[in-house]
Amino acid sequence: IGQCVQQLPELQNGIPARGGASCLTTAATVDAFGTALQLSANKYGGSRSWDQILEPAINIADRGFPLSKSQNFWMSFRENEIEKIKDVYRIFGQPGSYDEGQTIKQPELAESLKLLALNGCRDFYEGELATRIVDGLRKAGSPICLNDLRQTRCRIEKPLELPYRDGYLLAHRPPTQG
């Protein structure tokens, strides 16, 4: 939990199950991708740049992709929450406004990815994109601040391992989402 979040007296009674005030942690995923790219270059001779890595995702967001059955289901499943997460529905579409397989374009995602391609992964935590993220979180009721994002870093740690057959099963150490 970030520093700004830790200072909130209203969380003394617990963390809400849903909504903006339940957004109390930051994700190091983008930093992890940047770290992996740097490791690839330094240790293994990787030659692809950050903008080359992001180019396919930028193209998909710009040109569009077919709406999946799963995405259509979840948009409809959360239909009663539209008022609470208006920006999500503004970006991803209203339930029933798309048919499965219809092309979905995400110009705001493309713009964000272009900023990352131009400025590097830390823009997500320290730059223009970080400011946009914090502004959006604040509007949604989250206490996360720029200082919380700036402090977000991935960690490189030895994975958990378990012998299995002729090899090992590996998993991230907690805290992780997968």
Side-chain angles (χ1 to χ4, degrees), residues 94-117:
Q94 299 289 325
S97 62
Y98 294 104
D99 294 320
E100 185 179 327
Q102 184 176 346
T103 299
I104 303 282
K105 294 183 180 184
Q106 295 177 308
E108 291 179 39
L109 174 59
E111 183 182 336
S112 296
L113 293 170
K114 288 173 187 176
L115 280 173
L116 289 173

Side-chain angles (χ1 to χ4, degrees), residues 104-145:
I104 303 282
K105 294 183 180 184
Q106 295 177 308
E108 291 179 39
L109 174 59
E111 183 182 336
S112 296
L113 293 170
K114 288 173 187 176
L115 280 173
L116 289 173
L118 180 66
N119 300 324
C121 71
R122 291 303 305 170
D123 196 71
F124 190 89
Y125 305 97
E126 300 169 355
E128 180 182 341
L129 193 50
T131 301
R132 291 181 186 179
I133 290 168
V134 168
D135 288 346
L137 287 169
R138 189 174 299 117
K139 287 176 188 170
S142 173
I144 291 174
C145 67

Side-chain angles (χ1 to χ4, degrees), residues 1-132:
I1 294 180
Q3 278 185 329
C4 296
V5 174
Q6 291 175 7
Q7 299 169 10
L8 293 174
E10 58 265 34
L11 293 180
Q12 299 306 313
N13 297 327
I15 299 169
R18 298 197 54 79
S22 69
C23 300
L24 304 177
T25 60
T26 60
T29 305
V30 177
D31 191 59
F33 287 143
T35 300
L37 183 64
Q38 193 64 45
L39 281 171
S40 171
N42 294 344
K43 285 185 102 173
Y44 306 108
S47 60
R48 296 190 70 192
S49 65
W50 186 242
D51 59 322
Q52 289 172 320
I53 297 291
L54 290 175
E55 185 179 355
I58 293 168
N59 288 336
I60 290 170
D62 265 338
R63 295 181 189 148
F65 59 92
L67 178 70
S68 71
K69 183 176 184 177
S70 174
Q71 186 174 358
N72 198 28
F73 169 82
W74 285 108
M75 284 171 43
S76 297
F77 184 79
R78 298 275 186 231
E79 188 170 14
N80 63 338
E81 297 179 31
I82 290 174
E83 287 303 311
K84 296 176 188 169
I85 52 175
K86 289 180 184 177
D87 283 342
V88 171
Y89 283 99
R90 181 180 52 76
I91 293 168
F92 293 101
Q94 299 289 325
S97 62
Y98 294 104
D99 294 320
E100 185 179 327
Q102 184 176 346
T103 299
I104 303 282
K105 294 183 180 184
Q106 295 177 308
E108 291 179 39
L109 174 59
E111 183 182 336
S112 296
L113 293 170
K114 288 173 187 176
L115 280 173
L116 289 173
L118 180 66
N119 300 324
C121 71
R122 291 303 305 170
D123 196 71
F124 190 89
Y125 305 97
E126 300 169 355
E128 180 182 341
L129 193 50
T131 301
R132 291 181 186 179

